């Protein structure tokens, strides 16, 4: 049992790390709040003083704001749906005994360690290119015209690219949960006449509820800031401009740091709302 002396020593040893973490978080946040109340145009006059809430009003009243929020939520929801559905299927498959099981698991998990920029470039040039891409050759083999993915179905294409990278993460979490399931429950249900679908629906799926909520929480936090895949593939065109990409355009392309900082505050608010909502779901599942 920890004594008062050991707890004090632990707090002292943790203090430098906690301090650095707070500085790492609070300094950028403070600068964002500071610039969001000012008109700061680096190449067009520099700092022109306080404008208070004008940047917030201009950003939220922009015709691009709500479509960007909608696109962000659609992409996040689509990636979560693909990750969970196919993650469960892959986890069930990888849980079965097979030859070379360890190698197969490594290959399935490998995409998660690929940089988002590299992943987007591979999909854009090797798979989705309408002239020399793999999908184009498959379409021609069946006598159909190739699909120009990034302009015909841009949002779906982004969801495919991002899902390919995040699917291994979901699969790993769900596979761990499946392996912790008591096999005696499944054997007893099988002896009682329950079929594969019944065993999955009434035993396996409820057992995965906690793992699913964890996957949703973690992936949502990261997916709300998706940027690299859009920057490399569509450049925000064809209705794929997310809130993060809109902020990038305001800060770097329009050279309006104050307006972009106001957008950053809105992004923080949106992320916290979604995180609080998901934490309530996670908390309910963990209390069961």
């Amino acid at each position: 049992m920890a004594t008062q002396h050991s707890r004090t020593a632990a707090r002292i040893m943790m203090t430098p790390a906690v301090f650095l973490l707070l500085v790492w978080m609070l300094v950028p946040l403070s600068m964002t709040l500071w610039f969001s109340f000012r008109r700061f145009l680096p190449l067009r006059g520099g700092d022109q003083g306080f404008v208070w809430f004008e940047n917030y009003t201009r950003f939220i009243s922009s015709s691009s704001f709500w479509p960007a929020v909608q696109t962000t939520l659609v992409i996040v929801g689509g990636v979560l749906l693909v990750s969970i559905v196919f993650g469960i299927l892959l986890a069930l498959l990888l849980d079965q005994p097979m030859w070379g099981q360890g190698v197969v698991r490594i290959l399935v998990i490998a995409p998660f360690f690929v940089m988002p920029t590299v992943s987007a470039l591979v999909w854009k040039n090797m798979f989705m290119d309408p002239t020399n891409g793999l999908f184009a050759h498959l379409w021609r083999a069946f006598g159909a015209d190739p699909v120009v993915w990034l302009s015909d179905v841009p949002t779906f294409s982004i969801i495919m690219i991002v899902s390919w990278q995040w699917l291994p993460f979901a699969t790993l979490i769900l596979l761990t949960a499946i392996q912790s399931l008591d096999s005696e429950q499944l054997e007893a249900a099988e002896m009682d006449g329950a079929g594969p679908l019944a065993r999955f629906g009434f035993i396996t799926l409820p057992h995965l509820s906690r793992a699913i909520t964890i996957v949703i929480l973690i992936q949502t936090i990261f997916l709300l800031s998706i940027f690299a895949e859009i920057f490399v593939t569509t450049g925000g065109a064809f209705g794929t401009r997310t809130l993060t990409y809109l902020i990038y355009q305001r800060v770097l392309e329009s050279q309006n740091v104050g307006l972009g900082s106001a957008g950053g505050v809105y992004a923080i608010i949106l992320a916290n709302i979604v995180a609080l909502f998901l934490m309530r779901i996670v908390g309910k599942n963990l209390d069961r």
Side-chain angles (χ1 to χ4, degrees), residues 65 70 100 113 120 130 146 159-160 167 169 180 186 201 224 229:
F65 176 75
Q70 181 180 357
F113 301 100
I159 291 174
M160 287 178 59
L167 180 58
F169 172 80
S180 66
L186 296 174
L224 284 171
E229 294 85 348

Side-chain angles (χ1 to χ4, degrees), residues 188-253:
E190 185 177 4
M191 293 179 62
D192 290 338
L197 291 178
R199 295 197 300 272
F200 173 77
F202 291 100
I203 299 178
T204 305
L205 192 58
H207 180 76
L208 294 177
S209 60
R210 293 187 177 185
I212 292 174
T213 53
I214 294 298
V215 169
I216 292 175
L217 176 62
I218 295 176
Q219 286 196 186
T220 301
I221 293 174
F222 284 95
L223 291 173
L224 284 171
S225 60
I226 178 175
F227 173 81
E229 294 85 348
I230 298 173
F231 179 81
V232 170
T233 55
T234 63
F238 311 113
T240 59
R241 181 166 51 187
T242 60
L243 184 57
T244 305
Y245 201 88
L246 180 61
I247 296 169
Y248 157 78
Q249 288 183 322
R250 294 295 182 266
V251 175
L252 294 181
E253 293 185 1

